[in-house]
Amino acid sequence: MDTTNRSTVPPASTALVTGATGGIGFSVASSLAGLGWTVLVHGRSAQRAREATARMGDVPGRLVPLDADLETRAGVARLVEQVRGAAPDGLDVLVNNAGAAFDRRRLTPDGVERTVAVNHLAVAELTRDLGPLLESARGRSDSPARVIMMTSYLEARARPAQDWAYPSDWTQLRAYAASKLLNLAYTYALAERWGERALVYAVDPGAVRTGFQRSAGGSLRVIGLLGAPLMTSPHRCARTVVAVATRPVAHPGGSYIRAVRAVDTGRVRLSSARSRDRAYQRDVYDATHRYLDTGTVPPVTATGSSPEVRSTDVDQPARSDTRNRE
């Protein structure tokens, strides 16, 4: 089925795509708008968001630029308020695409290392606070709303971050991989808790040729330069995200989906053993919500299983393995 077939799209659908001013997010937002969706296009600044909507051109859908710096909790709150104003009747799809990596360690005003703040805590807080809008959309469709978390295969190489301020042993790649592991474990836990309230997915785009590595600097910039010829295009990966967002449900909630060339809806795979460890998932979920509720950074004590297990193809969701899934 063609991702651009409007017959697959419920009427009056609304999506928020974070980090939509370039790369995968831009391709996802423009594709959804091409299907006639109302798309809330998030950028770090108002100018970047407006410029992105202008570059998307004349599309059947409606484009609404929103701006917020997701490095801070105040920025997340700002985005939540804008979404409530732009989509008061509900949100059908939330694509948590915004991510970051930095070439030096710094803390946010909230006392958290910036990579962890953007790639995990902002995602968790935004998703939690938009939960009522996601539930409201159920009244317009026979299927639950969908939440898509953009993850990374680098989570399999992560050392669990027990202190989210990273006072020692910080490197760009270590912080980035650890933030993706945190968010993936949280995604599994959230999918189990939410059930049919909203279907929660993790999508791994693989190695993608965007400006992300270049803007991150440091080791990621080098990796991006050397690996560019082997990387896929943002549009290819966006096809999988759009298919997961719009098609009849092809994978159970809580699935870890790898974007592949042959299948628009991607393939379900097993993520790392650590991300699928239920004790680790519970600890990450609990620690995350203690932080969101109190503003203090609690330790993450469970370290999970060995990180040596790589992602592999499977025929069913990873949650069938010890009932933990991606």
Side-chain angles (χ1 to χ4, degrees):
M1 189 184 299
D2 186 353
T3 303
T4 61
N5 184 349
R6 295 187 197 177
S7 66
T8 67
V9 181
S13 297
T14 301
L16 167 63
V17 183
T18 67
T21 60
I24 297 171
F26 180 90
S27 293
V28 170
S30 58
S31 295
L32 289 174
L35 293 171
W37 284 57
T38 292
V39 183
L40 313 185
V41 180
H42 162 258
R44 201 163 58 247
S45 69
Q47 180 178 348
R48 287 166 62 93
R50 287 194 300 268
E51 289 174 350
T53 58
R55 293 201 314 275
M56 291 176 194
D58 186 13
V59 292
R62 176 171 166 254
L63 298 170
V64 182
L66 307 179
D67 66 280
D69 183 352
L70 300 183
E71 200 172 303
T72 67
R73 298 193 69 184
V76 174
R78 171 180 169 81
L79 182 56
V80 169
E81 286 306 308
Q82 291 178 77
V83 174
R84 287 171 177 163
D89 296 328
L91 192 65
D92 298 273
V93 169
L94 168 59
V95 181
N96 282 308
N97 171 72
F102 303 94
D103 60 3
R104 64 187 66 186
R105 174 187 174 271
R106 288 180 184 163
L107 300 183
T108 70
D110 306 305
V112 179
E113 192 276 329
R114 292 182 295 170
T115 318
V116 174
V118 176
N119 294 348
H120 173 52
L121 294 172
V123 173
E125 186 161 22
L126 182 66
T127 304
R128 182 196 67 174
D129 291 353
L130 293 180
L133 285 179
L134 291 162
E135 287 186 286
S136 295
R138 183 67 184 264
R140 303 200 306 260
S141 173
D142 292 334
S143 64
R146 304 179 195 188
V147 177
I148 299 172
M149 310 283 209
M150 300 303 294
T151 187
S152 170
Y153 60 91
L154 290 175
E155 64 83 19
R157 301 182 178 274
R159 300 179 188 177
Q162 297 187 26
D163 187 333
W164 295 346
Y166 257 109
S168 62
D169 299 326
W170 183 94
T171 69
Q172 182 188 63
L173 286 175
R174 187 171 294 163
Y176 182 77
S179 71
K180 288 300 185 180
L181 173 62
L182 280 169
N183 193 246
L184 182 52
Y186 179 84
T187 297
Y188 289 146
L190 182 68
E192 182 174 24
R193 284 161 174 78
W194 276 19
E196 291 295 308
R197 177 186 179 191
L199 298 177
V200 181
Y201 297 101
V203 174
D204 176 5
V208 186
R209 190 170 52 253
T210 70
F212 176 81
Q213 297 95 339
R214 183 176 62 254
S215 62
S219 301
L220 282 173
R221 177 180 174 84
V222 176
I223 292 171
L225 289 172
L226 295 178
L230 304 176
M231 295 179 178
T232 191
S233 71
H235 181 69
R236 168 57 265 177
C237 305
R239 285 174 59 190
T240 298
V241 177
V242 172
V244 172
T246 63
R247 302 275 186 89
V249 175
H251 307 300
S255 294
Y256 179 98
I257 301 167
R258 184 70 181 270
V260 294
R261 187 180 301 274
V263 183
D264 275 359
T265 52
R267 296 190 189 281
V268 173
R269 291 189 171 184
L270 285 174
S271 57
S272 68
R274 180 166 286 144
S275 71
R276 292 180 285 112
D277 185 280
R278 291 180 68 86
Y280 182 64
Q281 293 170 10
R282 287 193 300 269
D283 199 41
V284 169
Y285 184 91
D286 291 344
T288 298
H289 282 268
R290 284 198 300 274
Y291 170 78
L292 297 182
D293 292 340
T294 68
T296 59
V297 182
V300 180
T301 54
T303 57
S305 308
S306 167
E308 301 302 320
V309 178
R310 303 282 182 87
S311 299
T312 53
D313 285 317
V314 293
D315 294 326
Q316 60 270 340
R319 198 167 286 284
S320 64
D321 173 61
T322 319
R323 298 199 45 175
N324 294 322
R325 162 286 42 77
E326 233 203 24

